Amino acid sequence: MIFHDRREAGRALGRALRAAADLVDPIVLALPRGGVPVAFEVAQELQAPLDVFMVRKLGVPGQEELAMGAVAGNGIVVLNEPVIRAFGIEPSAIDEAVARERQEMERGTALYRGGREPLSLEGRTAILVDDGLATGATMKAAVRAVRPLARRVMAAAPVGAATTCAQLRGEVDGLVCLEESQHFLAVGEFYRHFDPTGDDEVRMLLEQAQQNRHVRDGS
């Protein structure tokens, strides 16, 4: 399964969620930045509110695209122990990465929200959305941070490594992944167009989603 871009993937994912899941008062939470265009389309398909949930990958020093873990709100840190052992990463390097990415989370929160308060998750089905599940570290961190706040927690992505999806199913109330690959190399191989998602696009989509919500609510 190859998608044209994240927006097309999000529309397909939204249709699958609508058909496959019993959603009670859903709210879509995008994992920035690449998850935002996907989540925007999911929210449109489900006629659900969209918010951003800050989580940051902890990249292996010198190979930042490879995740040695992730950090999310509520003090949540998820570590990929096999990767840490394989690369011999020292605890001090992990601590430095955690501190650096927490600062980036604060920057992103201020930039993307523009002073808006996060939407309440109490009593709702929180659907965490990313553009793909490679190691699953960022999604796991987000799930564990959201778990105490929502009634139900679901994870959704257009594509993912089959082993990662299997592991995630033990952490969520539901998982929807359109393509679970046994030979997963990288998220980008499932998209024809996979350019980086910029901060401006994230802000634009979040603002547009808020405007659409006001129109639906008649406010």
Side-chain angles (χ1 to χ4, degrees):
M1 184 178 293
I2 303 295
F3 300 102
H4 177 73
D5 57 15
R6 291 178 178 90
R7 301 288 289 268
E8 181 187 73
R11 289 190 289 272
L13 185 61
R15 291 191 293 270
L17 278 160
R18 192 173 57 201
D22 180 17
L23 303 177
V24 178
D25 198 10
I27 180 170
V28 178
L29 301 178
L31 275 55
R33 287 174 298 194
V36 176
V38 181
F40 176 85
E41 298 295 342
V42 169
Q44 292 295 105
E45 288 286 338
L46 299 180
Q47 294 290 286
L50 172 68
D51 205 351
V52 65
F53 191 82
M54 293 304 301
V55 60
R56 293 287 300 177
K57 177 173 65 179
L58 302 174
V60 170
Q63 298 190 45
E64 302 299 330
E65 288 304 310
L66 178 61
M68 64 177 178
V71 58
N74 297 337
I76 298 294
V77 177
V78 171
L79 297 179
N80 190 334
E81 296 293 349
V83 170
I84 290 170
R85 288 194 297 270
F87 285 84
I89 302 168
E90 296 292 331
S92 59
I94 298 172
D95 291 342
E96 288 174 7
V98 168
R100 183 173 60 252
E101 295 305 336
R102 280 184 171 149
Q103 287 184 339
E104 182 60 21
M105 283 174 58
E106 292 178 3
R107 182 200 75 87
T109 298
L111 181 65
Y112 301 149
R113 288 197 182 284
R116 295 189 300 271
E117 291 295 320
L119 299 179
S120 173
L121 305 182
E122 186 176 356
R124 310 189 76 156
T125 298
I127 307 172
L128 289 155
V129 177
D130 206 352
D131 57 8
L133 302 170
T135 68
T138 53
M139 183 62 80
K140 288 177 186 176
V143 165
R144 293 174 189 179
V146 167
R147 173 64 69 190
L149 307 176
R151 178 183 177 186
R152 298 178 70 231
V153 180
M154 297 183 64
V159 301
T163 53
T164 296
C165 292
Q167 293 167 2
L168 271 172
R169 284 193 170 89
E171 305 231 5
V172 294
D173 298 304
L175 171 69
V176 174
C177 183
L178 303 180
E179 179 73 17
E180 298 183 27
S181 173
Q182 297 286 349
H183 307 287
F184 189 96
L185 296 176
V187 173
E189 67 179 324
F190 296 91
Y191 293 85
R192 292 189 183 91
H193 298 280
F194 197 65
D195 295 334
T197 303
D199 288 337
D200 288 343
E201 182 179 0
V202 170
R203 288 199 304 270
M204 181 271 291
L205 290 173
L206 292 173
E207 290 170 2
Q208 185 176 339
Q210 186 181 41
Q211 292 169 4
N212 294 345
R213 180 166 158 248
H214 290 326
V215 170
R216 287 197 303 269
D217 295 346
S219 57

